[in-house]
Amino acid sequence: MGHGMKRATRAARPRAIREANGEASMNFELDPGIAELRQKVRAFVEERVVPSEAKIVAEDHEGKRETLSRLQAEAKAEALWVPHLPPAYGGRGLGIMGMCALFREMGRSPVGAKVFNCDAPNQGNMDLLLGVGTDAMKERYLRPLADGLITSAFCMTEPAPGAGADPSNLRTRAERDGSGWVITGRKWYSTGGRDAAFLILMARTSDDPKGGATMFLVDRNAPGVEYVRDIPTMSEPLLDHREGELAFHGVRVSDDAVLKGVGEGFRLAQQRLVPARLTHCMRWLGLADRTLSMCKEYLVTRESFGKKLAQHQLIQQKIAHHALGIHAGNLMTYHCASMLEKGLDKESRPYSSMAKLHVARLLCDVLDDAIQMHGGLGYSEDVPFSAWYRHARSARIADGPDEVHEVVIARDFFTRGLELLV
């Protein structure tokens, strides 16, 4: 009873008093400006992007970009372009919370993020360059990337026995040569590597297990850079998202190509990947939410065994399960984003793993059940679920497979327990 009274007394205190006393508080409301902007992005996606999806994909297969370019121009005209970047680069300077709110709406379409120039890996590369790039790097790489004039790729993953889920297996090496570096190695799953103007590449510069990696900016067409192939995958490539394999044969770069500093590679990878996981999560939640809405439209009209599918308890169970999962994913992602906004980067890592693990599985499960609930129609290409599922399945591998995130969560539990840092 005493504990209950203590909790009740604390909850009754005005928020200003609790904050003045240094007590943690949690606010589930978005800033009014962000909330309004979120609705604007939602309307843009629903009214313009979704009806144009098929045409954008068809044109892409023909090597055309007319519809995509038109929508990108409209997004720029309505000040919805690269909203995560500062106004100096054409954006709105949103924090990570604002990014998450908007990216969820963009993610309702598989081509949505591209329309707003917020797709991976470009968005993560922009944020990294903004945070640690020199003025010269920002002018040469970030500005044209933000303007949508070029694309980029992130080269960290390698074919076995190189770096994958375990980055310490990094095999690509950069050797000091006079005033510069010579890079030799092989990378794969470098999304968009074929058409990229530049690459952010991780290479080993020493055998130090913690500080032995360095990130370099490498021009895609520099001498010694070989584009080996598009990697065949279970999903067809969409827009610039072909998975590339590249080889680096003695590629020479200057000290000016080093990002942040020699030996900073592993730290920068964490700096880039933790918020990138959240933006992935929000895009996936947007698509999961849209999928469940499409299921609703079908389930309330289709009759089977004398009643609407929506009236069958097994169907209701699936819907309830996924509605719960989407809501939980929203809370996990916003909670982690709030930690990042407070500068709790290290503390946020297990929570980013929780969000990524949960949402990646959720998206696959929602799409799998959408196919099942639509029966023969769901298995056909008359609805997009099978194509979306083939793309979604990579979510459980990219940015760390499920098993790695489970290890991170368990390790944190055994060292800290379930501390709720808000």
Side-chain angles (χ1 to χ4, degrees), residues 234 363-364 367 388-398 402:
M234 66 185 289
L363 178 59
C364 289
L367 287 167
W388 290 356
Y389 181 86
R390 289 192 294 274
H391 283 281
R393 186 58 181 82
S394 67
R396 293 184 54 198
I397 301 172
D402 289 0

Side-chain angles (χ1 to χ4, degrees), residues 5-117:
M5 287 295 293
K6 184 176 180 181
R7 284 196 296 268
T9 301
R10 181 187 182 281
R13 293 179 190 171
R15 178 180 175 185
I17 295 177
R18 287 189 280 121
E19 290 182 347
N21 291 336
E23 299 178 16
S25 62
M26 181 176 288
N27 181 9
F28 291 98
E29 295 181 3
L30 288 174
D31 176 270
I34 296 297
E36 182 180 352
L37 194 57
R38 176 185 174 183
Q39 291 302 316
K40 188 174 181 180
V41 172
R42 173 70 170 262
F44 192 105
V45 171
E46 291 297 323
E47 296 168 10
R48 303 187 222 181
V49 178
V50 169
S52 302
E53 283 174 339
K55 190 172 184 180
I56 290 173
V57 173
E59 288 179 354
D60 182 58
H61 290 163
E62 298 172 2
K64 301 176 182 177
R65 293 290 175 94
E66 284 87 350
T67 303
L68 176 62
S69 296
R70 173 178 58 79
L71 289 173
Q72 289 178 327
E74 292 176 9
K76 283 184 179 180
E78 297 190 21
L80 300 177
W81 184 256
V82 290
H84 56 292
L85 293 181
Y89 293 95
R92 288 175 171 264
L94 300 182
I96 188 70
M97 290 288 285
M99 288 168 59
C100 286
L102 267 58
F103 285 11
R104 189 186 190 280
E105 304 308 324
M106 297 175 189
R108 293 179 67 83
S109 169
V111 300
K114 186 67 176 177
V115 168
F116 301 93
N117 199 15

